[in-house]
Amino acid sequence: ILVVAHRGFSAVAPENTLPAMTAAARVHADMVEFDVQRTRDGQLIVVHDTTFARTTDVASVFPTRVDAPVGSFTLAEVRQLDAGAWKGTQWVGTRVPTLDELLATMRPTSPFWQLGSPPPLSSPPQPCSSRTLSTLGLIFPEWPMRQGCSRE
């Protein structure tokens, strides 16, 4: 039996956050699954939904952008969001991690990751490349790519 921590150990910590990933490592999950999307300024961040409405305080920080796609935010704007308060007061201040932050956190604890696919995009996909992920060993030639992505 293979134990895969879906979006990290999301039963105990806010999904797709560093606390959820480290919690999965502490209980010796065999793998962690997480989702990656690109910000407007091209940064890779770890988030599942197509908007920040469900898992952050975007409604109070950017009230006119509650339903705006993840890809319409810059990394500086994403850094202003609290991705933990919805899960409990002990998680207040938890941020949406970048892919680099997640990998730096997980690399010492586990070599096994599974990159999940976010739900279908509600806005046109942004150009992206798998080069970053493939150099990290996270994308393999046989994996299908999301619409709008290339293997360059």
Side-chain angles (χ1 to χ4, degrees):
I1 294 176
L2 187 67
V3 176
V4 180
H6 185 241
R7 301 178 197 163
F9 194 173
S10 56
V12 301
E15 67 181 59
N16 274 328
T17 63
L18 297 181
M21 301 303 162
T22 56
R26 278 196 305 275
V27 297
H28 306 288
D30 297 305
M31 296 176 72
V32 294
E33 179 273 345
F34 55 90
D35 306 279
V36 175
Q37 295 192 52
R38 189 180 299 274
T39 62
R40 187 174 77 214
D41 52 349
Q43 301 301 306
L44 297 176
I45 60 171
V46 181
V47 63
H48 172 77
D49 296 1
T50 57
T51 73
F52 290 110
R54 183 177 64 86
T55 59
T56 73
D57 62 347
V58 70
S60 60
V61 179
F62 299 105
T64 63
R65 298 174 68 193
V66 172
D67 295 319
V70 167
S72 70
F73 289 80
T74 65
L75 181 59
E77 292 169 328
V78 173
R79 293 280 192 219
Q80 296 176 53
L81 301 175
D82 186 311
W86 67 271
K87 186 76 171 176
T89 56
Q90 71 269 36
W91 306 113
V92 170
T94 300
R95 301 292 172 211
V96 174
T98 64
L99 177 61
D100 287 341
E101 291 166 342
L102 181 141
L103 295 176
T105 299
M106 295 307 296
R107 190 167 276 130
T109 61
S110 173
F112 300 106
W113 304 288
Q114 179 181 356
L115 180 61
S117 296
L121 297 173
S122 57
S123 60
Q126 299 178 21
C128 61
S129 167
S130 63
R131 185 179 329 224
T132 301
L133 297 177
S134 63
T135 58
L136 294 168
L138 296 175
I139 287 192
F140 303 93
E142 64 275 9
W143 287 12
M145 294 298 294
R146 268 183 45 206
Q147 178 186 2
C149 294
S150 70
R151 293 200 175 276
E152 299 164 2

